[in-house]
Amino acid sequence: WINSPPLSKSDLKGKVTFIDIWTFACWNCYRSFPWLNSLENKYKSKNFQLVGIHTPEFDHEKNRSAVEAKVKEFKLHHPVMMDNDFAYWQKLNNQYWPTFYLIDKQGQVRYRFIGETHGNTRKSNAIESAIELLLNE
């Protein structure tokens, strides 16, 4: 884990959790980071947690210090888990970078969004509406 001690499902219970699956050689992932950072800031006073899961596409992306450098470069302050063995990727039956999963306060995956995302777009507005819906449940 980067930026956090290891998180468990119980640490996230009662929070709406937004998971970002990314890898450091993915430009679409990088271009989504400004929006993700604004999202984290927007909901920081709510029961909301952003969690990054770094799942490498290539062997050189398994290097912790390289991932840490990208986390620092893109000013990511949320917890980032390294998924070098693809355990979480497989558990989620994921296929794409980036993919975003929105999980409700009871720990159930409620939404999945695929692909690069920017603020003030139809896609980001739909995601933020879904976050608001889950926060208000």
Side-chain angles (χ1 to χ4, degrees):
W1 284 85
I2 300 166
N3 292 338
S4 170
L7 297 175
S8 68
K9 193 172 182 177
S10 64
D11 293 323
L12 301 171
K13 189 167 176 90
K15 294 183 181 183
V16 172
T17 304
F18 194 67
I19 294 177
D20 168 31
I21 299 198
W22 65 285
T23 188
F24 80 67
C26 170
W27 286 100
N28 299 84
C29 300
Y30 294 164
R31 289 190 288 255
S32 298
F33 288 155
W35 169 72
L36 282 171
N37 286 338
S38 71
L39 193 69
E40 183 176 27
N41 189 51
K42 180 177 181 176
Y43 294 110
K44 68 182 172 188
S45 65
K46 309 280 186 184
N47 284 328
F48 177 81
Q49 179 66 60
L50 177 59
V51 176
I53 297 180
H54 181 273
T55 306
E57 183 175 9
F58 305 107
D59 282 341
H60 73 277
E61 295 172 303
K62 294 179 180 181
N63 181 295
R64 181 180 176 87
S65 62
V67 177
E68 287 173 337
K70 289 298 181 185
V71 165
K72 185 176 181 179
E73 176 183 346
F74 289 102
K75 299 175 176 63
L76 305 180
H77 301 291
H78 57 271
V80 175
M81 183 191 75
M82 293 187 62
D83 185 32
N84 283 351
D85 64 358
F86 281 68
Y88 284 83
W89 176 280
Q90 291 168 356
K91 179 85 171 165
L92 291 165
N93 198 27
N94 197 57
Q95 299 177 36
Y96 309 102
W97 294 275
T99 300
F100 308 104
Y101 292 88
L102 186 53
I103 300 168
D104 67 20
K105 294 175 186 176
Q106 290 73 43
Q108 299 300 310
V109 175
R110 297 276 293 274
Y111 299 91
R112 181 179 73 164
F113 305 93
I114 298 169
E116 183 176 326
T117 306
H118 303 271
N120 297 317
T121 62
R122 182 182 296 180
K123 183 178 181 181
S124 67
N125 291 337
I127 293 170
E128 292 176 39
S129 291
I131 291 169
E132 293 282 344
L133 179 75
L134 295 184
L135 284 170
N136 289 323
E137 283 186 343

